Amino acid sequence: MLTRRTLTFAILVGGFATPVLAHHGWRWTSGDNIRLTGIIQSARLGNPHGVLQVDADGEVWQVEVGQPWRNERAGLTDDDFAEGREIVIEGEPSTDVEERLLKAERIWFDDNLHDLYPGRS
């Protein structure tokens, strides 16, 4: 009985985790870069990567930023992602345009560039 409960729990947890895991990496992105300017509504920073909610002209976008080490290497601190701050992001959007989901490659605050993925163009 305990084994059956454990298996059932593992299946349920795995089922809920699948949509989150699907967005790691680059496979879900379009391969083309866009530039988005908006105001940070919220930020959840940390591993496996940070996630911002950014209001761009009344549309709320979810933006994946780097892991803590990647943000630090790019010269960013958690304080940079303060709610209400203007941000410019260049990166790859989701192939599903209805998602309004963007993986950041480069971020500008006050005209200062922070390159999260220096080798990507």
Side-chain angles (χ1 to χ4, degrees), residues 2-120:
L2 181 60
T3 304
R4 183 178 218 158
R5 283 186 197 170
T6 303
L7 179 60
T8 301
F9 178 75
I11 290 170
L12 286 172
V13 169
F16 289 121
T18 301
V20 174
L21 294 175
H23 281 251
H24 293 290
W26 296 86
R27 293 181 69 173
W28 58 270
T29 65
S30 69
D32 295 319
N33 281 7
I34 65 168
R35 189 170 286 195
L36 182 75
T37 300
I39 303 297
I40 298 173
Q41 300 297 303
S42 67
R44 183 186 52 76
L45 303 171
N47 288 310
H49 53 75
V51 177
L52 308 177
Q53 298 295 320
V54 176
D55 183 330
D57 295 324
E59 293 183 344
V60 178
W61 283 71
Q62 180 172 304
V63 179
E64 288 188 4
V65 295
Q67 305 90 331
W69 66 267
R70 186 177 302 278
N71 293 340
E72 184 178 329
R73 185 184 70 190
L76 294 163
T77 67
D78 289 357
D79 291 340
D80 288 321
F81 298 102
E83 186 176 313
R85 187 161 190 204
E86 184 176 68
I87 185 172
V88 177
I89 307 138
E90 184 177 290
E92 294 187 21
S94 171
T95 55
D96 180 354
V97 295
E98 298 299 317
E99 278 190 304
R100 291 190 177 86
L101 178 62
L102 180 68
K103 183 161 184 152
E105 293 180 35
R106 285 167 282 288
I107 294 173
W108 287 264
F109 286 114
D110 303 321
D111 294 323
N112 294 314
L113 170 63
H114 302 277
D115 198 347
L116 297 173
Y117 295 92
R120 291 186 71 89

